[in-house]
Amino acid sequence: MKNTISHRVADFLKNYPPFNQLLLEELQELSTQISIVYKEKDAIIFNENDAPHSHFYIIHKGAVSLNKTQTNTIVDICDEGDIFGLRPLIANENYKMEAKAHEESILYAIPITTFKPYATSNREVGNFLIDSFASNTRNPYSKSHRGTLYGEPESTEIYNPSTELLDLQPVKYSKKLVSCSPKTQAKVLAAKMTSKNVGAILVLEDKMPIGIITDKDLRNKIVTGQLPISAPASEIMTSPVITYSKKLTITQAQMAMIKSNISHLCLTKDGTVNSKAVGILSKHDVMLAVGNNPTVLIKAIKRATRTKEIKQVRKGIMMLLRGYLDQNIPMTLISKIISELNDACIKQIIKNSLAKLDTPPPVTFAWLALGSQGRSEQLLHTDQDNALVFEDVAPEDLEETRAFFIHFAKQVTQRLNVIGYEYCPAEMMASNPSWCLSLSEWKKNVTTWITNPGPDEVLLSSIFFDYNNVYGNHDLVSDLSDHIFKTAKNYPSFFLHLASGALQNPSPTGFFRQFLVEQDGANKDSFDIKRRALMPLTDAARVLLLSHSIKSINYTAERFEKLAELEPNNAELFIAASYATKALLKFRTKQGLAHNDSGRYISLNKLTKAEKIKLKRTFRTIKEIQDLVYIRFKVSTLLR
């Protein structure tokens, strides 16, 4: 007799990974062993530290929250098609989180002993379970354990097939040699080292290296008073020079520096002191060649005097970003590190642009990063949004001062474009006179936006209020921030309009939770993850935190975490929103890296079922956050 219930279970499971990897006969056999579990809202499925169940679970209907009870935080919210409770299968240890029905739910309990043979024999099934387990436990190194299930030995080594043998890679060195003669005085060569931004200078005689002077030599011999500042290079230099061929490899350079306990190597045409010097190699250069890490990249940025050098470093930043994502490093940490590096690139562009001006700025100024860049969420190469605020001047000097800063801003935005930041289509850039204003002018603009909030004003404030002071006078920015919060507090109706604007972005899904895609244009049938998923969360976090008069927190996920502190009654929702924000930002970043674009428009037919499930997981939270904003700020009153 046909088992109708087990066939219905099989029909459901075949639509979701990893069960869709099983043969139909295997799926039907498994379904006869599955139990159906009903849970009312808030019912506990298992507690933190409970002994492992003999089943893991997939949600047929409803939603289940995974919680850390000690910190009272939601780690994940699972809904239809999601798997949870995998710890007994993966680790065979007590549960590390509480599982509770987030709403009325129907679960399928899958016996571990029955399912384990499928997981161990089918690589795709095993990999998906490992990824699901890592996702639910927030394990940042899940991929390093891929392919191992409970009971199998874990490898402690991770092979990266993209890693090249360093022994075979030649070092890259600057051919622009910084040198001096044996008679050059200490004060002259020190000034030259400073202007060239180098830590060592070669002493040449007939183009042959006879010595080297480093920062350490100047400290030990000049700063200590051992030699006068007028001492010649011949008395300060370390000699003889240790020389190597320009065909030196990275590993050879490392070994040479370790062996001789030095930080600089002189490269000559044939590797001896008897041939022409062609370059100098520092420990920093070797570190940069070995691999990308934040410290090395920051140093490279600060040493860059040309835009093309910064552009090259930006490639390293993208490699670092890709590596972090591959290792499942937490998104908050990724955002902070990459944003710091991006800000450092912008700051160095500004410094280099200032150095090329004929005259210094007439007054102090601040360069503001706006929008996603101001929120530390611009991880990919997207368009630039920035503004400039300068110190108030006399009315008769205003236009001349503005002209100076517009000219300067054009140089900066042009160089930002060279390193990968596209020009803003709406020209919301400091090179636009409307976005290059004095402090008083910015205050006047902000006051207008807040006191007369029409659609345009709400849009402008939404972009501008997420600013970050990348370079310049912090007091100007602090003064402007104080003005914004003071004015907003005096005009509570502004929050109503800002909340209404936050609800303008459409829901990610329609009926039956199907993705809503673009209906026409170049991105027809694609899902706009920025407008339909990220922006609703970003806009909601902004207006909610602004209403609490909290400044200096721009990162959307951290805004929600702060809101969870301020409003304990809504902490569960805000923590879920923080998680959703990070998950969506990570998803978009991965898509952008995969397709070499901004990651905004996603072709659904290129997503796996697992990716769609992970994406949909955030949508319920988006709706709940929008409902909260709608009710709290009484948005319905605008519709009357």
Side-chain angles (χ1 to χ4, degrees):
M1 181 177 177
K2 186 176 180 179
N3 188 331
T4 306
I5 294 178
S6 66
H7 274 72
R8 287 179 180 175
V9 172
D11 285 342
F12 173 81
L13 292 180
K14 71 182 182 183
N15 296 312
Y16 296 96
F19 306 101
N20 58 353
Q21 298 295 327
L22 300 179
L23 298 174
L24 182 59
E25 296 79 10
E26 294 175 326
L27 193 57
Q28 289 176 345
E29 182 181 353
L30 174 65
S31 297
T32 62
Q33 305 299 314
I34 290 175
S35 304
I36 300 175
V37 180
Y38 169 77
K39 292 290 182 180
E40 294 183 348
K41 182 180 179 181
D42 295 328
I44 301 296
I45 296 131
F46 51 76
N47 288 299
E48 192 172 337
N49 296 319
D50 272 359
H53 292 186
S54 59
H55 301 74
F56 68 94
Y57 303 90
I58 183 171
I59 300 173
H60 174 55
K61 289 183 180 179
V64 171
S65 64
L66 302 179
N67 316 301
K68 296 294 289 185
T69 54
Q70 290 184 345
T71 56
N72 193 31
T73 57
I74 296 177
V75 176
D76 199 1
I77 295 181
C78 307
D79 58 11
E80 184 178 311
D82 283 337
I83 292 173
F84 69 97
L86 284 166
R87 188 165 291 276
L89 176 64
I90 306 297
N92 194 32
E93 58 188 23
N94 291 353
Y95 294 112
K96 299 298 184 183
M97 288 179 287
E98 170 196 76
K100 182 169 67 173
H102 196 62
E103 57 187 56
E104 186 180 23
S105 302
I106 297 175
L107 316 174
Y108 290 157
I110 302 166
I112 291 172
T113 54
T114 304
F115 188 78
K116 187 175 178 181
Y118 300 120
T120 54
S121 62
N122 188 315
R123 185 178 180 85
E124 292 299 320
V125 172
N127 283 348
F128 180 82
L129 292 175
I130 292 292
D131 282 346
S132 296
F133 175 69
S135 175
N136 288 337
T137 58
R138 303 287 298 279
N139 180 357
Y141 299 104
S142 62
K143 290 191 183 295
S144 66
H145 305 294
R146 173 164 290 194
T148 61
L149 291 170
Y150 166 63
E152 298 178 355
E154 293 185 2
S155 171
T156 56
E157 295 185 7
I158 304 171
Y159 173 64
N160 181 359
S162 65
T163 302
E164 298 179 29
L165 294 175
L166 297 180
D167 292 287
L168 305 179
Q169 293 185 48
V171 294
K172 295 181 179 179
Y173 62 93
S174 174
K175 296 179 181 179
K176 291 187 176 181
L177 197 64
V178 180
S179 62
C180 66
S181 74
K183 296 180 180 179
T184 305
Q185 291 185 339
K187 61 180 179 180
V188 176
L189 65 88
K192 189 172 186 179
M193 289 170 65
T194 301
S195 65
K196 298 294 184 180
N197 196 25
V198 295
I201 188 169
L202 277 178
V203 183
L204 302 182
E205 192 169 55
D206 297 327
K207 296 185 180 181
M208 306 296 181
I210 63 170
I212 186 171
I213 298 173
T214 66
D215 287 333
K216 185 177 179 181
D217 293 321
L218 293 175
R219 290 196 305 271
N220 291 343
K221 296 179 182 179
I222 303 299
V223 179
T224 59
Q226 181 180 336
L227 294 172
I229 199 169
S230 59
S234 58
E235 294 183 19
I236 308 167
M237 67 185 187
T238 298
S239 183
V241 184
I242 300 176
T243 59
Y244 287 87
S245 167
K246 63 181 180 179
K247 295 180 180 179
L248 190 72
T249 67
I250 293 172
T251 299
Q252 288 172 334
Q254 287 179 304
M255 295 302 295
M257 289 179 177
I258 293 172
K259 179 181 177 180
S260 302
N261 192 27
I262 54 178
S263 59
H264 293 79
L265 300 177
C266 175
L267 305 182
T268 62
K269 195 169 183 179
D270 65 5
T272 71
V273 294
N274 299 316
S275 62
K276 181 182 177 182
V278 295
I280 190 168
L281 188 71
S282 70
K283 186 181 291 185
H284 166 81
D285 296 326
V286 175
M287 288 177 63
L288 191 60
V290 169
N292 296 308
N293 67 67
T295 303
V296 171
L297 291 170
I298 282 285
K299 288 181 178 178
I301 292 167
K302 290 183 177 180
R303 290 179 57 182
T305 57
R306 296 183 297 169
T307 304
K308 65 160 74 173
E309 294 173 340
I310 300 176
K311 183 178 181 179
Q312 189 64 31
V313 176
R314 285 271 294 170
K315 293 179 181 178
I317 295 173
M318 289 299 102
M319 290 175 61
L320 183 68
L321 172 60
R322 192 184 298 274
Y324 281 165
L325 290 170
D326 287 343
Q327 294 179 68
N328 257 335
I329 301 298
M331 201 63 203
T332 298
L333 183 58
I334 293 177
S335 297
K336 286 184 180 297
I337 292 174
I338 301 301
S339 295
E340 285 290 338
L341 290 168
N342 287 338
D343 284 353
C345 288
I346 298 171
K347 187 179 294 185
Q348 192 65 20
I349 289 284
I350 294 171
K351 287 183 177 180
N352 291 347
S353 298
L354 285 171
K356 289 177 170 60
L357 292 176
D358 295 332
T359 59
V363 292
T364 63
F365 71 97
W367 186 278
L368 306 180
L370 309 179
S372 60
Q373 190 178 340
R375 295 191 302 272
S376 299
E377 294 168 5
Q378 190 183 56
L379 304 182
L380 300 169
H381 289 188
T382 56
D383 62 301
Q384 49 180 298
D385 294 309
N386 44 60
L388 190 147
V389 51
F390 56 86
E391 191 178 345
D392 286 335
V393 296
E396 60 271 20
D397 298 327
L398 180 58
E399 291 311 315
E400 183 180 351
T401 304
R402 191 192 327 281
F404 175 92
F405 283 114
I406 289 174
H407 170 74
F408 163 68
K410 286 180 178 178
Q411 303 303 310
V412 175
T413 55
Q414 182 181 11
R415 292 183 174 106
L416 289 176
N417 179 255
V418 170
I419 69 170
Y421 290 103
E422 296 293 331
Y423 291 117
C424 175
E427 295 190 12
M428 293 181 180
M429 299 180 293
S431 53
N432 180 345
S434 298
W435 293 86
C436 182
L437 305 173
S438 69
L439 176 61
S440 294
E441 288 176 317
W442 274 121
K443 286 182 178 180
K444 183 179 178 180
N445 272 10
V446 167
T447 300
T448 300
W449 296 343
I450 294 174
T451 58
N452 299 284
D456 291 340
E457 287 75 16
V458 169
L459 175 62
L460 291 171
S461 60
S462 296
I463 297 170
F464 185 79
F465 286 178
D466 290 339
Y467 59 72
N468 173 42
N469 183 18
V470 176
Y471 182 93
N473 188 338
H474 178 74
D475 290 340
L476 290 174
V477 182
S478 181
D479 193 349
L480 181 58
S481 297
D482 290 340
H483 176 78
I484 290 173
F485 286 103
K486 181 179 178 181
T487 308
K489 189 174 182 179
N490 292 332
Y491 288 87
S493 62
F494 170 68
F495 296 113
L496 169 61
H497 290 272
L498 198 60
S500 177
L503 300 176
Q504 295 305 306
N505 292 305
S507 169
T509 54
F511 290 110
F512 307 112
R513 294 192 299 167
Q514 295 299 309
F515 286 82
L516 291 180
V517 298
E518 301 306 293
Q519 298 300 311
D520 50 37
N523 300 294
K524 188 177 184 293
D525 297 327
S526 295
F527 178 71
D528 186 345
I529 192 172
K530 175 184 176 181
R531 188 166 69 101
R532 294 188 184 273
L534 278 165
M535 284 184 66
L537 290 169
T538 299
D539 293 342
R542 181 190 304 109
V543 65
L544 287 166
L545 201 64
L546 189 60
S547 69
H548 282 284
S549 296
I550 301 294
K551 61 180 180 179
S552 301
I553 301 179
N554 285 358
Y555 186 49
T556 301
E558 290 186 342
R559 280 174 166 172
F560 280 122
E561 289 165 10
K562 183 63 177 180
L563 286 165
E565 292 180 22
L566 297 170
E567 302 180 26
N569 292 341
N570 294 311
E572 186 174 293
L573 174 58
F574 290 141
I575 293 298
S578 176
Y579 169 81
T581 302
K582 289 181 279 191
L584 288 165
L585 185 59
K586 186 174 188 177
F587 196 94
R588 178 183 178 180
T589 304
K590 282 189 170 183
Q591 289 293 314
L593 288 173
H595 300 100
N596 196 30
D597 57 21
S598 69
R600 175 173 178 173
Y601 295 100
I602 298 172
S603 297
L604 296 178
N605 58 1
K606 293 182 180 179
L607 297 183
T608 65
K609 289 183 182 295
E611 288 173 327
K612 289 181 181 179
I613 289 172
K614 290 178 181 179
L615 196 53
K616 281 186 177 180
R617 186 180 296 170
T618 65
F619 293 170
R620 189 187 309 277
T621 302
I622 294 173
K623 183 180 185 306
E624 291 180 6
I625 283 292
Q626 287 191 320
D627 289 346
L628 184 148
V629 170
Y630 183 85
I631 294 170
R632 173 168 300 182
F633 296 101
K634 301 177 181 179
V635 176
S636 60
T637 58
L638 283 180
L639 305 177
R640 294 175 183 172

